[in-house]
Amino acid sequence: MEPLSRRTRRFTFIGVTTGKSAIMRVFPAWAEHLGLGDVEIYGRDFPLHAPPGAYRDAVQAIALDPLELGGLVTTHKIDLFAACREMFDFIDPYAQLCGEVSSLSKRDGLFRAHAKDPISSGRSLDEFVEAGYWGSSGAEVLLFGAGGSSLAISLHLMTARPSEDRPRRIVVVNRSRARLESMCAVHNQLGSDVKVEYVHNSDPLENDRLLGSVPPGSLVVNGTGTGKDSPGSPITDEGVFPERALVWELNYRGELGFLHQAERQVPSRGLVVKDGWRYFVHGWTCVIEEVFEVEMTPEIVGELSDVALGLRSSSSTRDVE
Ligand SMILES: NC(=O)c1ccc[n+]([C@@H]2O[C@H](COP(=O)([O-])OP(=O)(O)OC[C@H]3O[C@@H](n4cnc5c(N)ncnc54)[C@H](OP(=O)(O)O)[C@@H]3O)[C@@H](O)[C@H]2O)c1
């Protein structure tokens, strides 16, 4: 007989080291705050690039059991989507475009896959990049890193707002050429009017030079993971941010070298500096919205952010985990 807790409705979290994640403490508090009823979060750990059959078993268990409400996928977004693509009744356009899935949900008898990163990164950006900003400022975007998060941010910037309110130019810098090529292949499918330059580079001195090449007010993002996943920063301590730049470090914990470099220049350069906390909150609330059919108004997201702040810890290994 299954344990009693198995009779509870379940929200599955597919990651690498889910047990270490702050969300295991945060989700029960959010569920109570939102009045979601009897539901538990269930972590399923897989090693990086697990066998396709392992992903299929996990997804099938969610698809077939009425007590399984859906799930959130972190590190395995691309591999799981590749293994399970034909198991979904609905695949949203971002999941199609990016070839990844972060949200598994059920609605009207359909088992659904969504890629939520363009939405969650967009909601994070919209909190500090006001409507009309790109049209009125002439600002551009410098993305350090061409991984999944930078791709999601670029998709938001290239598609979400009307064409008169998009940056004229996005410069993306990445250590490996392959990531730039796959990002470019996705961008080419959009036919967007935003010009994108792909720079193959990992030399911090060259990154300093690129920092000096974008106009005042530009958005500068550290999507490399340096300062958390690996030490350092994509720029040197001598790198000078554009005046009034909007600086976004995607992580909120770790040594955060890039964030501190920017913070030191706030008085002299008039920078706006943000960390990845709200990105974490939006990452989860976008999926909870889909799975539990709860509308995530800015007020509710603010409340959930406050609830989570009290439970925040430095023990997890990936931010969204
Ligand atoms: N706050 C949140 O909730 C949240 C959500 C999502 C992501 N994040 C964080 O954001 C970071 C990026 O996430 P991701 O999923 O996009 O990671 P990812 O897919 O691993 O991408 C990171 C990219 O940065 C490149 N890179 C690393 N060091 C570099 C350097 N010095 N110069 C240029 N490029 C460099 C890597 O190049 P290679 O191709 O050579 O490896 C890789 O393509 C991670 O630290 C993650 O934890 C936070």
Side-chain angles (χ1 to χ4, degrees), residues 147-149 174-176 179 223-225 228-229 250-251 276 279-280:
S149 298
N174 200 70
R175 184 172 60 189
S176 76
R179 282 295 183 93
T224 64
K228 194 197 111 217
D229 303 332
L250 297 189
N251 286 307
Y279 190 18
F280 167 82

Side-chain angles (χ1 to χ4, degrees), residues 142 206-215 239-242 269:
L142 178 56
E206 174 61 11
N207 286 340
D208 287 358
R209 196 197 64 71
L210 290 165
L211 205 52
S213 74
V214 290
V240 178
F241 286 88
R269 308 294 288 169

Side-chain angles (χ1 to χ4, degrees), residues 110-127:
L110 300 180
F111 186 44
R112 310 183 314 156
H114 289 82
K116 287 291 180 187
D117 286 4
I119 310 288
S120 58
S121 62
R123 287 183 184 176
S124 311
L125 275 174
D126 287 347
E127 289 183 345

Side-chain angles (χ1 to χ4, degrees), residues 77 117 144-150 173-176 179 201-203 207 222-226 228-230 233-234 250-252 276-277 279-281 318-320:
K77 285 180 263 199
D117 286 4
F144 291 121
S149 298
S150 289
V173 190
N174 200 70
R175 184 172 60 189
S176 76
R179 282 295 183 93
N201 174 58
S202 57
D203 176 1
N207 286 340
N222 180 20
T224 64
T226 49
K228 194 197 111 217
D229 303 332
S230 59
S233 161
L250 297 189
N251 286 307
Y252 61 86
W277 174 249
Y279 190 18
F280 167 82
V281 173
R318 291 278 295 179
D319 271 351
V320 82

Side-chain angles (χ1 to χ4, degrees), residues 3-69:
L4 195 58
S5 64
R6 183 60 194 91
R7 303 189 186 285
T8 305
R9 296 180 311 146
R10 216 153 69 165
F11 175 51
T12 297
F13 168 22
I14 297 175
V16 181
T17 51
T18 58
K20 290 187 184 166
S21 167
I23 198 66
M24 304 310 267
R25 293 187 303 284
V26 169
F27 181 80
W30 281 359
E32 191 178 345
H33 190 85
L34 293 169
L36 299 183
D38 214 7
V39 58
E40 66 182 17
I41 186 164
Y42 171 57
R44 293 211 60 171
D45 292 347
F46 293 100
L48 292 178
H49 307 300
Y55 294 126
R56 282 199 285 271
D57 288 349
V59 170
Q60 183 148 359
I62 296 171
L64 296 182
D65 185 342
L67 288 175
E68 297 279 357
L69 305 182

Side-chain angles (χ1 to χ4, degrees), residues 291-303:
V291 172
F292 295 92
E293 299 187 53
V294 184
E295 193 194 349
M296 289 292 171
T297 62
E299 292 71 31
I300 292 175
V301 172
E303 289 166 19

